Amino acid sequence: MAEAVTVEGLEKRYGRVEALRGISLSVKRGEIFGLLGANGAGKTTLIRILVGLARPTAGSVSVLGFDPNREAAALRRQVGFMPQSPALYLDLSTRANVAFFGAAHPHENSGRRVEEIIDFVALRERAHDPVHTLSGGMKQRVSLGCALFHKPALLLLDEPTAGVDPPLREIFWKHFRDLAASGATIVVSTHQLDEALACDRLAVMRDGAVLACDSPAGLLRRGRTTVRVKCGDAIEEARIESTPEALAAHLKHAGLSPEVASVELVADTLETIVLDLVRRGGAP
Amino acid sequence: MIADRIRRTRAVGGRVMVQLVRDHRFLALALLVPVAVVYLLHVFLGSVNSPFFDPARFAVPLGAFIVHFLTYVLTAIVLVRERTGETLPRMFACGYRQGEIITGYLTAYTALASVQSLIVLAELAWLFELDYPWTKFLSIALVIWLLAVISMSLGILVSNFARTEGQVLPFVPAVIIPSIFLSGVVIPPENLPAWARVLGWFTPLFHADAVLVPLLKSGGSMADAGWSLAGLPCYGVAVLALASLTLRERD
């Protein structure tokens, strides 16, 4: 099966609140799939449904070929989940936390695996310290380590870099790329646009709906380019499609006459495109 | 499969035990409070100025009530803390199951409750000069210990229904106060109206008292309790099953 995750017409209501409104998407095996959206977009609800912590109101879900509601035990042997809050025992050490969450899974040498995880998240010097003495970024590293213990085929990461400083975020993303390179599928929610660019594909979400689902390059192609042609004292500005053909067609009428002093091109950034998508609610 | 379940239950029990042992303040209070409360019970019962009143008659049932109250309160908050700290859903997402979490918690807290029960019984024996044969002491210890374990199960069950620590508070009097009125500690249950007697069956103290009253009589033994002996274990199994079934895994 090429798809790690398939979601069709997924709805989730909490009383009167519609957290998800008929979402459909699929995640290929081995890809880093981003869920991009503001708070309340439905990213956490979707991830909780994928790991079987929330029951959908309607629609179907398949994760690694399992139904998260009916086959949660089998599914969870292959899924690593990192919640938005660190969700750790603050009075226990890094080592004890990794060992405890890891103990849920059978392992031939769990002690050695705990040490491997501690090295992987680079917390060897703080392995004995209670988690409450660690910084926010260190807690996130412990939390990531707990999710990786059983070498899961699918990692569900809910805003793993929330509150993490830029250098550490870079380290986290290096980990994610390494894990994806080793064959793991990663679904990661974020509201950071630079992180979205590092994903293979993205679902842009708002108010429980998917507005667009594409690669970052595909999303960038949806943007437009602003062309400013300075001709003498006059500046002519136009918005055109971000393709070489559109640019050539636009410049034809101005030509390259001696009066053209400069041609400035400003392409839409992913931020502009996403904000525009969100503002328009995904409509073309 | 069974080995996996045992491993996970041991992991929960071991983790909770480490947390309990490291929390020195909690541990000290959990062990010192029963000592102080039993002493106050001695002062209270010793102050009843009547030649017809035998403090020793009430000492053990009220001591059992103290154990019931303290162990119930200790555990009524545990799963709420796990829920608010998001560690409960994480445990589920890792593969821990309801029964393993409940049993793991119960195992760890049973160690603490056992020490509490022994302290209470030893202090009762010393202060009230209880002059029972050692077999009777052993029987009383067994009943009080069972009551402690069942009260913890009840606390865990109650903590399933609270989303915040504040929501636990109304459950404390809701369980404890009916226990005093309906369990037979103060008034024999047969003196109560039929509907109140039925309500009394739902309190663990009722079942403990049904064994303790015949046991404490002169020459009494566990055998005198008859079918009532089955009441406590059955109540415990029912509460544990309910606690496992009501521990919500999914929103």
Side-chain angles (χ1 to χ4, degrees):
Chain A
M1 183 189 290
E3 266 79 35
V5 176
T6 310
V7 165
E8 289 283 347
L10 194 66
E11 292 177 20
K12 176 65 183 174
R13 275 190 291 275
Y14 292 101
R16 288 181 182 175
V17 179
E18 279 189 286
L20 293 178
R21 305 165 188 242
I23 280 182
S24 296
L25 54 82
S26 65
V27 179
K28 295 187 186 79
R29 285 185 189 256
E31 76 176 344
I32 301 180
F33 188 89
L35 300 172
L36 181 66
N39 294 333
K43 308 185 297 289
T44 297
T45 303
L46 177 57
I47 286 180
R48 287 175 72 88
I49 287 174
L50 295 182
V51 76
L53 289 176
R55 201 185 300 274
T57 310
S60 67
V61 190
S62 171
V63 182
L64 300 173
F66 297 105
D67 178 339
N69 281 310
R70 296 194 187 128
E71 299 162 298
L75 170 66
R76 287 164 181 173
R77 283 195 280 273
Q78 298 183 48
V79 170
F81 169 57
M82 180 180 173
Q84 195 171 344
S85 66
L88 299 166
Y89 297 101
L90 302 181
D91 51 338
L92 297 183
S93 67
T94 298
R95 182 175 279 117
N97 271 281
V98 174
F100 173 69
F101 287 110
H105 307 281
H107 199 283
E108 56 192 17
N109 192 339
S110 54
R112 193 184 64 202
R113 181 64 184 150
V114 170
E115 300 310 315
E116 283 173 9
I117 291 288
I118 287 169
D119 286 333
F120 183 76
V121 295
L123 283 170
R124 168 73 42 207
E125 288 174 9
R126 305 296 302 270
H128 280 299
D129 296 343
V131 167
H132 71 82
T133 65
L134 306 183
S135 67
M138 287 175 177
K139 285 178 190 152
Q140 292 291 81
R141 277 147 72 183
V142 180
S143 184
L144 176 65
C146 292
L148 296 176
F149 182 91
H150 56 302
K151 300 182 179 170
L154 171 67
L155 264 172
L156 300 171
L157 310 171
D158 192 3
E159 299 199 13
T161 57
V164 171
D165 56 47
L168 189 56
R169 269 170 52 194
E170 183 47 42
I171 293 170
F172 264 64
W173 275 90
K174 183 185 174 303
H175 288 334
F176 301 159
R177 282 190 290 269
D178 290 347
L179 289 163
S182 69
T185 307
I186 298 176
V187 175
V188 54
S189 74
T190 182
H191 49 239
Q192 309 271 1
L193 287 155
D194 56 336
E195 292 187 347
L197 278 168
C199 297
D200 297 317
R201 284 195 309 134
L202 282 174
V204 180
M205 295 180 71
R206 193 192 78 170
D207 296 337
V210 172
L211 305 177
C213 189
D214 208 336
S215 63
L219 282 174
L220 282 167
R221 277 196 295 274
R222 294 177 185 220
R224 297 176 75 83
T225 298
T226 304
V227 183
R228 288 193 198 98
V229 178
K230 190 174 180 187
C231 196
D233 290 337
I235 297 177
E236 185 187 312
E237 186 172 302
R239 295 268 293 158
I240 63 165
E241 281 183 34
S242 297
T243 61
E245 295 78 15
L247 179 61
H250 179 74
L251 290 178
K252 265 178 194 163
H253 83 273
L256 283 175
S257 63
E259 287 77 22
V260 174
S262 69
V263 178
E264 186 186 1
L265 305 176
V266 181
D268 282 353
T269 61
L270 188 64
E271 184 175 8
T272 320
I273 295 162
V274 168
L275 288 175
D276 192 44
L277 260 174
V278 169
R279 198 182 60 245
R280 289 187 287 113
Chain B
M1 191 72 176
I2 292 172
D4 285 346
R5 284 178 175 264
I6 292 171
R7 189 193 62 250
R8 289 193 291 261
T9 306
R10 280 181 56 193
V12 176
R15 189 261 298 167
V16 175
M17 184 72 90
V18 169
Q19 288 180 296
L20 276 176
V21 170
R22 286 201 183 159
D23 193 344
H24 297 152
R25 189 178 302 178
F26 174 83
L27 213 53
L29 283 170
L31 298 177
L32 290 177
V33 166
V35 173
V37 174
V38 169
Y39 183 74
L40 287 175
L41 176 70
H42 172 64
V43 171
F44 170 71
L45 293 178
S47 305
V48 179
N49 199 7
S50 166
F52 305 107
F53 183 74
D54 174 19
R57 150 75 183 83
F58 290 95
V60 173
L62 284 172
F65 168 73
I66 291 167
V67 169
H68 165 56
F69 178 79
L70 294 174
T71 47
Y72 166 72
V73 169
L74 279 183
T75 49
I77 210 161
V78 291
L79 288 176
V80 181
R81 271 197 315 236
E82 292 266 11
R83 196 172 286 120
T84 53
E86 286 282 309
T87 45
L88 187 62
R90 183 164 208 164
M91 269 199 277
F92 283 132
C94 278
Y96 286 101
R97 315 263 181 95
Q98 284 100 328
E100 295 156 8
I101 295 169
I102 300 281
T103 313
Y105 256 103
L106 197 61
T107 310
Y109 273 85
T110 293
L112 179 61
S114 304
V115 178
Q116 276 186 329
S117 305
L118 283 176
I119 288 175
V120 166
L121 191 57
E123 196 181 358
L124 285 172
W126 176 55
L127 291 175
F128 291 93
E129 298 173 355
L130 302 177
D131 187 21
Y132 298 137
W134 69 270
T135 48
K136 186 175 276 199
F137 263 121
L138 208 62
S139 302
I140 295 170
L142 180 66
V143 173
I144 290 183
W145 178 81
L146 256 178
L147 176 66
V149 175
I150 290 162
S151 304
M152 289 187 309
S153 313
L154 194 61
I156 291 172
L157 170 66
V158 159
S159 74
N160 282 346
F161 296 98
R163 285 197 168 269
T164 64
E165 288 165 350
Q167 283 179 0
V168 172
L169 294 177
F171 283 112
V172 174
V175 169
I176 295 299
I177 292 176
S179 277
I180 303 171
F181 299 146
L182 307 176
S183 64
V185 172
V186 182
I187 298 168
E190 52 270 24
N191 293 4
L192 295 168
W195 64 267
R197 278 205 301 277
V198 172
L199 274 183
W201 295 342
F202 292 98
T203 67
L205 206 55
F206 172 88
H207 300 282
D209 216 48
V211 180
L212 285 175
V213 168
L215 176 62
L216 291 171
K217 283 180 181 161
S218 179
S221 72
M222 288 277 260
D224 298 326
W227 282 104
S228 300
L229 273 176
L232 265 181
C234 289
Y235 187 94
V237 170
V239 168
L240 267 181
L242 264 179
S244 294
L245 289 172
T246 53
L247 182 56
R248 268 168 46 130
E249 182 181 337
R250 295 184 176 89
D251 294 333

